[in-house]
Amino acid sequence: MRKILSSLYSNVKAGKKSFAVLLDPDKLNPESLEDRINAINSASVDYIFVGGSLISTDNMNLVLEKLQEKTFVPKVIFPGNGLHINESADGILLLSLISGRNPDFLIGQHVISAPILKRSSLETLPTGYILIDGGKPTTVSYISNTFPIPNNKPDVAAATAIAGEMLGLKLIYLDAGSGAQIPVSEGIIQTVKKNIEIPLIVGGGINTVQKASKALAAGADVIVIGNAIEDQPGFLHEISQLVESYNLSEA
Ligand code: 1GP
């Protein structure tokens, strides 16, 4: 049963926006993880994404087990490669890096991971992952050896997203990269949203309420925030309130 995907699809159908908190296992220790979980449980968070393009510590398991124990919010792995598969999560974004031309990240890692995922209890979320230039080189660009789409090329982003949808992917994720200087432009979000039916996730460099609000208004169905939550303690609540009030005003 595809619980995460079907609830996301129903939310999008009802015009309801969602908020995903991204936790990078490398940046957490037991104390900061506890703080983060308390903040998540006292706010309205729809998904917890766990991962990153490079994970150098052994924290992934610890973080997921703690989350499993302490929160009901669905935990979705945001993997950098097949090594990041972990059964303690509820689901995994099966990312195909469709903005790039590196076969390993388009299909290679997936072939290696598919038998393991099939045996696992993880819900797989087939996702067209599109990198957008966020103003500075990102780890994901470096690791994947791919170029992001320029932030002023909505047509290229839209054509890429349409191709992903036509290939049967179930989600599109526009990412300016972790800690991007410039988030994905409103022009790109609007154009992509206009051209696809499947849910649209947007992240990278959203570090003010205004930027989050612009992404939602432009058409993001899910906004993902990582760095800004680590840097500003109250930000998680501010975004949770923003998404809630957005959903109330649209109801
Ligand atoms: C990065 O979309 C995520 O892959 C979130 O980015 O850490 O900049 O919020 P930030």
Side-chain angles (χ1 to χ4, degrees):
M1 207 181 37
R2 296 187 130 178
K3 270 176 31 187
I4 301 172
L5 209 54
S6 65
S7 80
L8 177 54
Y9 267 67
S10 337
N11 285 344
V12 172
K13 206 168 164 205
K16 187 175 172 286
K17 309 283 186 180
S18 305
F19 171 30
V21 168
L22 172 64
L23 298 182
D24 179 344
D26 279 359
K27 293 188 186 156
L28 290 164
N29 57 47
E31 199 180 314
S32 59
L33 177 60
E34 192 80 31
D35 289 350
R36 210 58 47 77
I37 295 172
N38 289 338
I40 288 170
N41 284 340
S42 63
S44 175
V45 172
D46 299 286
Y47 307 98
I48 304 171
F49 288 178
V50 182
S53 36
L54 182 70
I55 302 178
S56 315
T57 62
D58 295 325
N59 284 351
M60 181 87 161
N61 211 30
L62 190 132
V63 168
L64 281 168
E65 278 176 1
K66 212 23 135 202
L67 289 169
Q68 194 77 280
E69 187 189 317
K70 303 250 172 173
T71 181
F72 292 113
V73 178
K75 295 149 272 292
V76 179
I77 299 170
F78 180 40
N81 59 58
L83 294 173
H84 298 161
I85 297 171
N86 191 304
E87 290 257 13
S88 299
D90 302 301
I92 181 165
L93 295 173
L94 190 64
L95 302 169
S96 184
L97 181 51
I98 56 176
S99 56
R101 298 296 178 267
N102 179 344
D104 196 31
F105 289 90
L106 277 164
I107 184 66
Q109 291 288 324
H110 316 68
V111 173
I112 294 166
S113 308
I116 301 162
L117 287 175
K118 198 165 168 72
R119 283 195 301 273
S120 85
S121 57
L122 291 168
E123 178 179 343
T124 49
L125 309 167
T127 304
Y129 188 48
I130 300 178
L131 293 180
I132 305 293
D133 191 355
K136 65 174 191 189
T138 57
T139 311
V140 57
S141 261
Y142 177 76
I143 297 274
S144 66
N145 199 12
T146 67
F147 294 116
I149 295 175
N151 219 330
N152 61 351
K153 298 281 182 202
D155 294 348
V156 178
T160 308
I162 294 168
E165 182 177 61
M166 284 177 169
L167 282 164
L169 296 169
K170 302 288 186 243
L171 303 167
I172 293 293
Y173 188 155
L174 294 172
D175 197 348
S178 174
Q181 277 166 352
I182 318 156
V184 179
S185 70
E186 290 164 272
I188 288 205
I189 300 172
Q190 276 162 0
T191 313
V192 168
K193 181 66 187 167
K194 236 190 293 164
N195 280 283
I196 59 169
E197 302 290 324
I198 56 178
L200 178 60
I201 305 172
V202 177
I206 301 178
N207 54 11
T208 64
V209 171
Q210 199 196 19
K211 286 178 190 169
S213 175
K214 280 185 177 169
L216 293 171
D221 296 307
V222 182
I223 49 169
V224 186
I225 305 187
N227 276 277
I229 283 166
E230 283 153 27
D231 302 343
Q232 313 165 41
F235 197 59
L236 191 148
H237 269 96
E238 287 179 48
I239 296 298
S240 143
Q241 277 167 359
L242 171 78
V243 175
E244 274 195 321
S245 59
Y246 198 97
N247 286 335
L248 283 174
S249 70
E250 297 289 301

